[in-house]
């Protein structure tokens, strides 16, 4: 049942995406959006670590720098896409990370003959084409490419998170250090671009970004930490569905049948990739146990 926390996380992340759009509509600039995404996580996690006397010293700075370099870049690109594209379209593109991981495994991971990986990559590619074709005009295409780049960068960040887990790095420390990098990049950008003059609706949306993002991060950490890895990975794609519903309600962004089909293909591609990765991890763990026993 702990995996069901992923549904809570999906609702939170869909609402966070909606707040990004609202904040941008009310003239908040991207550095402000990024900064507010990180502040609540930094403050609350720092208080928690001090209360429980937990060390914030990382196991490996190199692994964190790689994770945060790609993860923070993915956030900047993804939030930019969210501010300019229909919510469901942007979220779908941001969730193409498993497609890129599958492609990497096919070409460089020694699984070139794996028909399951090939099927997942082909379905994901068709899904991206279907999402982009009917819903975007020429002015939106560059932002769609940014969304795809966000998915690619997120794929690298996800692989680094797995590496951090293998090194024994706890999830809360990974989230805290990531949030510090988020705040750092947002703050440095504000020095250059300045603080945009905005009203209370924009500040309310910025607050929503931070709070929904924090609650979503805590829920997803609990789901992956205590629940079934496979079920949790499967449930995360419900974010696309929640985002589509929010987009319909608040922006009247009704995807057509082709776009709905594209979202379904992206979700299916992600599910196949998650299942395949989970199966391979189980096989590797089994081989490690047998080797240790010998």
């Amino acid at each position: 049942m702990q995996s069901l926390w992923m549904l809570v996380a999906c609702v939170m992340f869909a609402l966070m995406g909606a707040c990004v759009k609202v904040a941008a509509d009310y003239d908040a600039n991207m550095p402000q959006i990024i900064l507010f995404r990180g502040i609540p996580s930094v403050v609350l996690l720092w208080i928690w670590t001090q209360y429980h006397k937990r060390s914030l010293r990382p196991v490996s700075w190199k692994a964190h720098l790689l994770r945060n370099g790609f993860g923070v870049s993915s956030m900047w690109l993804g939030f930019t896409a969210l501010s300019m594209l229909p919510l469901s379209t942007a979220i779908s593109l941001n969730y193409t990370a498993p497609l890129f991981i599958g492609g990497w495994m096919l070409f460089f991971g020694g699984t070139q003959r794996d028909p399951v990986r090939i099927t997942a990559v082909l379905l994901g590619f068709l899904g991206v084409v279907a999402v982009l074709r009917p819903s975007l005009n020429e002015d939106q295409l560059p932002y769609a490419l940014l969304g795809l780049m966000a998915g690619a960068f997120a794929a690298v960040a996800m692989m680094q998170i797995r590496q951090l887990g293998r090194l024994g790095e706890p999830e809360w420390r990974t989230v805290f250090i990531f949030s510090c990098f988020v705040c750092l990049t947002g703050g440095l950008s504000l020095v250059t671009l300045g603080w945009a003059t905005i009203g209370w609706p924009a500040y309310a949306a910025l607050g929503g970004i931070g709070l929904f993002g924090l609650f979503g991060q805590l829920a997803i950490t609990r789901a992956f930490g205590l629940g079934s890895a496979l079920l949790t990975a499967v449930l995360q794609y419900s974010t696309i569905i929640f985002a589509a519903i929010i987009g319909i309600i608040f922006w009247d962004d009704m995807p057509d049948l082709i776009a709905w089909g594209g979202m379904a293909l992206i979700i299916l591609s992600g599910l196949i990739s998650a299942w395949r990765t989970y199966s391979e991890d189980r096989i590797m763990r089994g081989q490690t146990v047998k080797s240790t026993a010998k």
Side-chain angles (χ1 to χ4, degrees):
M1 293 297 291
Q2 298 293 340
S3 295
L4 295 181
W5 278 101
M6 177 54 76
L7 291 178
V8 177
C10 290
V11 173
M12 294 296 104
F13 287 137
L15 290 171
M16 182 190 72
C19 287
V20 170
K21 287 189 67 65
V22 172
D25 289 343
Y26 282 100
D27 299 324
N29 60 27
M30 193 53 59
Q32 288 174 315
I33 292 173
I34 295 294
L35 182 63
F36 272 80
R37 169 62 181 89
I39 286 177
S41 298
V42 170
V43 172
L44 294 180
L45 284 174
W46 184 83
I47 292 173
W48 182 84
T49 57
Q50 297 307 300
Y51 180 78
H52 291 281
K53 295 181 171 54
R54 302 293 180 92
S55 173
L56 293 173
R57 180 177 297 177
V59 174
S60 169
W61 270 114
K62 180 180 178 181
H64 277 287
L65 288 173
L66 285 172
R67 181 267 187 271
N68 291 309
F70 285 98
V72 174
S73 297
S74 174
M75 177 176 289
W76 276 85
L77 294 170
F79 278 12
T80 302
L82 276 168
S83 67
M84 301 302 296
L85 298 176
L87 185 61
S88 59
T89 300
I91 293 290
S92 298
L93 296 176
N94 287 345
Y95 271 74
T96 54
L99 169 61
F100 289 101
I101 293 176
W104 172 267
M105 293 297 294
L106 282 178
F107 291 104
F108 304 104
T111 60
Q112 288 87 348
R113 297 182 180 180
D114 185 352
V116 177
R117 293 274 188 198
I118 294 173
T119 300
V121 171
L122 289 176
L123 289 175
F125 176 76
L126 291 174
V128 170
V129 172
V131 166
L132 295 183
R133 188 202 64 79
S135 58
L136 300 181
N137 54 46
E138 292 184 0
D139 293 336
Q140 292 175 317
L141 186 58
Y143 298 103
L145 296 178
L146 292 181
L148 281 175
M149 288 177 62
F153 282 24
V156 181
M158 288 170 64
M159 289 189 285
Q160 287 301 314
I161 290 173
R162 292 181 67 190
Q163 180 64 25
L164 284 167
R166 290 169 182 166
L167 291 173
E169 193 72 281
E171 294 89 349
W172 56 265
R173 190 185 295 147
T174 299
V175 173
F176 176 80
I177 295 175
F178 171 73
S179 300
C180 288
F181 274 84
V182 169
C183 290
L184 178 63
T185 58
L188 291 176
S189 299
L190 281 172
V191 172
T192 303
L193 298 178
W195 188 270
T197 302
I198 53 178
W200 70 263
Y203 280 111
L206 290 173
I209 292 170
L211 291 177
F212 288 134
L214 172 61
F215 293 147
Q217 196 72 55
L218 293 174
I220 196 174
T221 300
R222 185 176 182 85
F224 273 111
L226 301 177
S228 163
L230 179 59
L231 179 58
T232 301
V234 167
L235 290 176
Q236 70 177 323
Y237 288 92
S238 59
T239 305
I240 297 175
I241 306 301
F242 291 129
I245 294 172
I246 292 172
I248 293 170
I249 293 174
F250 292 100
W251 285 277
D252 198 26
D253 290 332
M254 174 63 77
D256 64 10
L257 289 177
I258 296 178
W260 280 116
M263 293 178 205
L265 287 175
I266 291 174
I267 292 172
L268 182 59
S269 170
L271 299 185
I272 294 173
S273 295
W275 169 75
R276 196 59 171 175
T277 300
Y278 177 75
S279 300
E280 291 172 351
D281 284 348
R282 288 191 63 183
I283 292 173
M284 290 180 63
R285 286 197 297 269
Q287 292 174 344
T288 301
V289 170
K290 290 180 180 178
S291 175
T292 303
K294 291 179 181 179

